[in-house]
Structures are given as C-alpha cells and as structure tokens.
Amino acid sequence: MRLINIKPNRPLAVFLTLLPFALVFIAYAIGSDIRLTANPADKLLPAPSTVWDTAARLTTEGDRRSGRILFWYDTWASLKRLGLGIGISASVGLIIGLMIGLLPLVRSFLAQFVAVLSMIPPLALLPILFIVFGLGELSKVVLIVIGTLPFIIRDLSQRTLEVPQELLVKAQTLGASSWVITLRVALPLVMPRLIQAVRLSLGPAWLFLIAAEAIAADLGLGYRIFLVRRYLAMDVILTYVIWITLLAFVMDWALRRLSRWMFPWAEEGL
Amino acid sequence: MKNLLTMTAMALCLASAATAQEKTEFRVAWSIYVGWMPWGYLEESGIMDKWADQYGIDVEIVQINDYVESINQYTAGAFDGVTATNMDTLSIPSGGGVDTTALIVGDYSNGNDAVIIKGDGDLASLAGKPVNLVELSVSHYLLARALDSVGLAERDLAGVINTSDADMIAAFAADDVEAVVTWNPLVSSILEDPAATKLFDSADIPGEIVDLMVVNTETLEANPDFGKALAGAWYEVMGLMAAGDEEVLTAMAEASGTDLAGYQAQLASTEMFFDPADAVAFTSGAELPATMVNVAEFLFDKGILGEGAPSADFVGVEYPDGSITGDESNVTFRFDTTYMQMAADGAL
C-alpha cells in the first residue's frame, strides 16, 4: 500500500492532532523544570502549575488597586477595538470592492490608488495617527482599519471581477438595472469571499491591535502583555498569549461555521 | 522523540548560561541614556579592550536599543552585566532570583526625569488629569513621589496611560495628552514646546534614581578580573570626561543623537560620579538603604515584585558595610564598593 493512500482512522487522527500540542507542552515542562531546579525564583520559564495558578487568579481575583478583574476588562477592551476595526473594514471593503469590480468608472478612479495605498506599512503611520487622532480609542481602531481595509478591498474587487460576464449579460437581458445586478447577482457571489477575507485579515488585525495597545493604552490584552514585560512576569504573559490564541481560533472557527451555514454552496477548504 | 527532548532541554540549558565558572569572555549590555554613554565610548575607543587585555580577558560591550529588553536579556543569562537603574535591578533580575551586584554606581538623576504638563499649573492641578508615562518605570516612581509631596495619590488622577518612550514626544503633541512623565533626552525636546511646564523633577528627590552597571554576582566572584577591567576602563573615561575632553564628549553626544552643547546640558542634570571616591562615599552613605526601602515599597505596591513576593521585604539588599534591608535569607541585590575603591586607590 502506498503512503499516500494510508488514512488514519478516527482515534489515530485525534491522537495525531493532539500529539504536537503535547510535545510542545512536554518540552516546555522539561525546560522549565531544569531552570527552576537551578534557580527556584526563575521568571523566564514558570512551571505549568504556576501558569495555571496565575490564570486562575487573573480570571477570578480583582486588582489590588481598583478591585476590578482586569483580565475581563482587558478582553472586553481589546475585543471592542478589534470588532469595530474589522467591522468597519468589512463593510467599507465590501462596498468599495463591489464598486471597483462592477463599475469601470470607479475602477479607473480607485483601483490603482488602493493598490498603492495597500503598500504603505501601517505601523510606519503610527506616529502620524497618534498626532492626528490622539492617543485614545480612535487611533487604535483607525490603525486596524488601515491595516486590513486595503487587502479586503483588493480581494473583493478581484472576486467581483471574476463574476462570469455571462451572468451579468443574462441579468441585463432580463431587464435588471445596475443596482439590481449589484444586489441580486454580485453581492450573493462575493459574500462568502468577504467572510474568507475577514478570516484572513484577523491575523493582521490582532497584530495591529497589539501593536497599538503596546504603544499607548490603559487597558487591553496587548497593553497588559507589554506592561508586565517590564518585570518579566512570564506567567501572566503566557496566560494572555494562550487566551489570545484561543480567542482568535474561536473567531476563525465561528466565521467558518457562519460561512458554511449561510452559503453551503460555496464550500471551501481549510 | 527522546532525542528531541534531550536536545530541547540542552538548548534551554544553554540559554541559561549564567553559570559560575572561570571564563575569559564576557559580554555586557547597555542602552542609550546620558549617564551610560561612556559605555559606548569605551567599546568604540578601544579603552575597554586595553583594560581587558591587561587582565588577559575579553569584554564585549553591546548596545541594545530597548532598555527593558536589555535587562530581560541579562536576567535570562545572555549577558554578564547590564546598565540599569536601582529600581529596575531590584524588580527584574533580583526579583527573578538572579543574584546581582552593583559593580559601578555611575550617577544619579538630578533633574533628568521630569513631570511635565501642558499649560500653567502646579502639582495639585494634576488631580483629575490623565498622565502618560512608561508605566512601572522610574517615571512612574517619580510621579508617585511627586504626588506624595502634595498629598495626592495615583487614584486622584484620571489614570495613568502606559505610553512607549519612543512615542512620548509625538504623544505630547497629541490633543488629548495633558501631562507626561519621562526622562532625558525626551524631557529637553518636550520642554522646547512653549506650552510645556515642568512641575517636578528628580532634582527634587536627589539620589533616589541611581544608574548602575550591575553584573552577575557569581560570575564576578569567580572572575574578579572582570570587575577590575570594567572599573579600570570606566574610571579612565570618567577622568577624561571630568577634564572636559571635548573629543570624548562630542563622540558621546553624537552617539546619543545630540550635539556637544545638548549633551552637556543633559550632563548638568545628572550627578555623575567622575571620582570613584565620590561613588564609594555615596554607595556607603546612610541614604541609600532608606531609598531602597522606599523603592521596594513602591514596587510591591504596584505588584511589580511578582506573585512570589509576599511583602515588600521579599528581596534582600546588601550594602557595603554588610547591613541588609529586606529578607536576609534572600539577598539577591548587593551594593559592592570593592572595585570602585580599587579605582579610587589606583590599585587597578
């Protein structure tokens, strides 16, 4: 039997899925144990049990100063910024993407401009954003929008351009106006692509969120990580990193389920 | 599988290099700050190599652009020494169980760190305002001391907003920023703005923000030549600076991104110990233990000493006369005048 034809059965598949996670955990535990044996107060690789205790404390106990459980406040602050940023990017991206894809006039007007715009590294704009939009919430949301919008526009305009010409001609033959074609032909075809584009933008969006929070903030997941880095509280950092990973994973998974549920005909891989 | 684990374990072992053994190659890290510019000059001018050769060792001085990262790297064992303040030494390496010795007490901030607001006002007018600063840094400590002096506390502010030092100047230009706490050379840039008013600076609490060269205690004990070479080289440059050698000062000024006049202005608000005898006197002085207790309480109050810290006395600090503040069974921060004294006696 050829290797390419060997398929794991269900238990083996589950085992193989979990194996890399377990290996990383074991390697970490061993490294941590070695360092802690040499120096019990070592902060670099805290024992898994310490991380667990820290996570339990962070999620249940209030802050010494304000009594608030900062973990949930941080999460809420970050998710709000992320949601606003991605939401704006997705809706504006959808509209402009459709227009560039469907209307040759808009295409000539905007396509190259967006292409050039998307080449600007957003983080390089950060000092300017701070001066123009202040250090508050606005500049953080704007950074996420600037970081993800050009990609979404370019992706959606490309997908709109790929709508078969025959469909557009057929619709026109049936008497549809540009508006109706947009709503009834193009929009349903690009909606699954929008969800996919948002899924792909989530990574960069998190990156820009953390970067903005690292520079100026008083609440947020990225803020906390960069704050406690000042005294090497790796147990707190690891808790937050695992939490961020989990949040990002759940968002990605939810978007995929949404896409499957709403557009079962547009089933895609991964 | 077993091989993989062994290799990972070995790699992690190597990463924690700080082992106490005799060796001939040493690495120390420094970051840009007015009182630490001599370290860069030492490496560039070859003075460090000259002194290292004299003791038959090799010392590499590496500039790190991110101050906190340099201390973290030292704590992780990647360097044998690092430039740090007394406060950050206490919280990061010493709090993390890395036994650390203050080999050279270089200077203390005497106006280099400042609380600045937009427009007119006094410290009391900070009440109800947000303050931008590098949270949990010496700036935060300075703010706490400033508020203390007028009977205010941090909760009387509209909050402190953690802001990277790299973005502090841009932050001050933003509309929603009303007050900042930062250090030189940022302070002098910000004060160029006519709207900026300085409310409080480290000259109001002299000798509390101390800039050090700290080294791993075990490494130093096993290799006294390392300490001698560093001290010898350092005080050779101190001599040149005290004599006002313009070539040396200009080199340092350029390395810190300013000109000779700008650098001298910053030096004016820094109490440099050009003479090792002065450094010894300061380090053995009666105020230092009181300052360190203050600092430890501030760190504990902000939760910086970490989870393992049941109280502000969790870390023991030893002074040149052998006295100790904090936990006597957990001494991980030592002020040692041995090598500075050798420099003062010309015994290097």
Side-chain angles (χ1 to χ4, degrees):
Chain A
M1 195 160 174
R2 288 185 182 81
L3 194 57
I4 57 164
N5 290 324
I6 304 176
K7 288 186 182 137
N9 56 18
R10 182 80 185 153
L12 183 60
V14 171
F15 172 73
L16 286 177
T17 307
L18 294 178
L19 187 61
F21 293 99
L23 284 181
V24 169
F25 180 79
I26 292 170
Y28 177 87
I30 291 177
S32 163
D33 190 54
I34 291 172
R35 281 195 72 104
L36 286 170
T37 315
N39 169 16
D42 183 63
K43 287 182 169 184
L44 208 63
L45 299 179
S49 60
T50 314
V51 179
W52 178 255
D53 291 344
T54 304
R57 183 181 52 82
L58 287 174
T59 49
T60 53
E61 278 177 35
D63 170 50
R64 197 180 317 196
R65 244 181 300 166
S66 55
R68 301 188 301 188
I69 300 175
L70 295 178
F71 187 81
W72 304 115
Y73 279 86
D74 284 338
T75 305
W76 173 237
S78 286
L79 286 183
K80 212 163 54 180
R81 289 165 189 151
L82 194 73
L84 259 174
I86 281 281
I88 294 172
S89 278
S91 35
V92 175
L94 177 66
I95 295 169
I96 300 186
L98 275 175
M99 280 166 56
I100 290 179
L102 282 174
L103 307 174
L105 279 175
V106 179
R107 198 178 312 147
S108 306
F109 177 55
L110 279 182
Q112 289 311 307
F113 179 68
V114 173
V116 171
L117 217 58
S118 69
M119 294 303 147
I120 303 174
L123 285 176
L125 290 176
L126 209 48
I128 305 175
L129 294 187
F130 281 149
I131 292 174
V132 178
F133 298 108
L135 285 174
E137 295 302 294
L138 188 58
S139 58
K140 297 182 186 68
V141 174
V142 170
L143 180 68
I144 297 175
V145 172
I146 291 181
T148 54
L149 181 58
F151 164 76
I152 295 186
I153 293 181
R154 292 183 75 188
D155 192 48
L156 285 191
S157 50
Q158 188 59 42
R159 301 306 152 219
T160 313
L161 274 174
E162 281 169 12
V163 171
Q165 199 60 36
E166 294 83 351
L167 279 183
L168 297 181
V169 172
K170 196 180 279 176
Q172 289 175 65
T173 321
L174 293 170
S177 66
S178 298
W179 178 239
V180 170
I181 291 175
T182 309
L183 282 189
R184 303 293 296 275
V185 181
L187 186 64
L189 280 172
V190 299
M191 272 311 282
R193 306 305 307 223
L194 176 68
I195 292 182
Q196 213 172 28
V198 167
R199 280 178 63 196
L200 289 175
S201 304
L202 274 177
W206 274 102
L207 171 71
F208 294 126
L209 174 76
I210 306 275
E213 289 182 340
I215 286 168
D218 56 358
L219 218 52
L221 297 167
Y223 156 79
R224 194 71 54 196
I225 287 178
F226 277 82
L227 180 66
V228 302
R229 160 177 170 268
R230 276 204 78 87
Y231 51 99
L232 215 64
M234 288 298 282
D235 48 349
V236 179
I237 294 179
L238 284 172
T239 305
Y240 272 74
V241 169
I242 293 169
W243 178 236
I244 289 174
T245 313
L246 197 69
L247 283 176
F249 180 79
V250 168
M251 280 181 199
D252 188 67
W253 177 84
L255 281 170
R256 196 175 59 183
R257 295 308 297 251
L258 181 73
S259 175
R260 268 194 202 163
W261 175 63
M262 287 176 67
F263 315 104
W265 43 269
E267 194 43 76
E268 80 280 0
L270 285 177
Chain B
M1 163 91 186
K2 204 175 170 200
N3 268 340
L4 177 78
L5 287 181
T6 326
M7 274 166 60
T8 317
M10 273 176 62
L12 288 164
C13 255
L14 286 175
S16 61
T19 42
Q21 56 191 16
E22 272 189 61
K23 51 181 193 172
T24 54
E25 286 181 13
F26 302 90
R27 276 154 54 85
V28 298
W30 72 286
S31 45
I32 291 219
Y33 171 71
V34 48
W36 292 330
M37 297 317 293
W39 291 110
Y41 181 76
L42 276 170
E43 176 76 6
E44 240 172 69
S45 61
I47 294 178
M48 188 68 246
D49 289 339
K50 190 185 84 184
W51 280 87
D53 288 346
Q54 185 181 326
Y55 289 100
I57 57 172
D58 188 37
V59 179
E60 193 189 347
I61 301 178
V62 184
Q63 184 188 333
I64 309 266
N65 278 329
D66 185 312
Y67 167 63
V68 175
E69 195 49 39
S70 72
I71 304 179
N72 287 350
Q73 288 286 321
Y74 160 79
T75 308
F79 291 98
D80 301 297
V82 69
T83 54
T85 64
N86 52 337
M87 177 176 139
D88 293 317
T89 305
L90 186 62
S91 68
I92 309 175
S94 296
V98 176
D99 196 332
T100 296
T101 297
L103 180 79
I104 294 172
V105 177
D107 67 276
Y108 64 76
S109 171
N110 197 15
N112 261 329
D113 300 76
V115 182
I116 302 169
I117 60 161
K118 269 187 197 160
D120 295 324
D122 53 18
L123 277 176
S125 61
L126 280 176
K129 282 197 169 87
V131 179
N132 291 69
L133 47 73
V134 178
E135 218 172 310
L136 310 181
S137 69
V138 289
S139 297
H140 204 161
Y141 176 74
L142 183 77
L143 177 70
R145 298 282 283 131
L147 291 173
D148 230 18
S149 70
V150 291
L152 289 174
E154 203 180 299
R155 61 178 166 275
D156 299 319
L157 307 173
V160 293
I161 295 155
N162 187 45
T163 307
S164 156
D165 52 326
D167 296 283
M168 199 59 83
I169 296 176
F172 194 75
D175 280 338
D176 50 358
V177 172
E178 297 184 57
V180 300
V181 187
T182 188
W183 56 79
N184 260 327
L186 309 173
V187 168
S188 37
S189 304
I190 290 173
L191 286 175
E192 280 167 17
D193 186 335
T197 312
K198 183 162 76 175
L199 296 183
F200 190 85
D201 66 25
S202 50
D204 296 311
I205 50 163
E208 293 196 27
I209 299 174
V210 190
D211 303 309
L212 314 166
M213 164 54 76
V214 299
V215 297
N216 187 289
T217 304
E218 290 167 19
T219 306
L220 182 65
E221 273 171 7
N223 306 275
D225 283 348
F226 169 51
K228 289 180 191 169
L230 279 185
W234 174 260
Y235 286 107
E236 179 174 336
V237 173
M238 286 301 108
L240 295 175
M241 286 176 80
D245 189 320
E246 291 211 348
E247 201 184 318
V248 175
L249 290 172
T250 307
M252 292 182 199
E254 278 167 8
S256 62
T258 176
D259 55 7
L260 184 58
Y263 186 60
Q264 276 170 336
Q266 291 176 30
L267 275 177
S269 50
T270 312
E271 190 65 36
M272 292 293 292
F273 295 119
F274 293 122
D275 183 348
D278 292 343
V280 171
F282 174 82
T283 314
S284 328
E287 286 86 27
L288 191 61
T291 298
M292 292 310 296
V293 169
N294 249 342
V295 169
E297 269 163 15
F298 169 81
L299 293 177
F300 178 69
D301 192 41
K302 304 285 177 228
I304 303 177
L305 282 176
E307 291 323 303
S311 75
D313 311 326
F314 155 69
V315 178
V317 185
E318 191 185 77
Y319 303 92
D321 62 1
S323 65
I324 290 169
T325 58
D327 187 349
E328 289 184 19
S329 60
N330 185 32
V331 175
T332 49
F333 189 1
R334 300 162 203 272
F335 284 96
D336 184 352
T337 51
T338 314
Y339 297 88
M340 294 186 284
Q341 188 65 52
M342 282 181 184
D345 298 341
L348 291 170

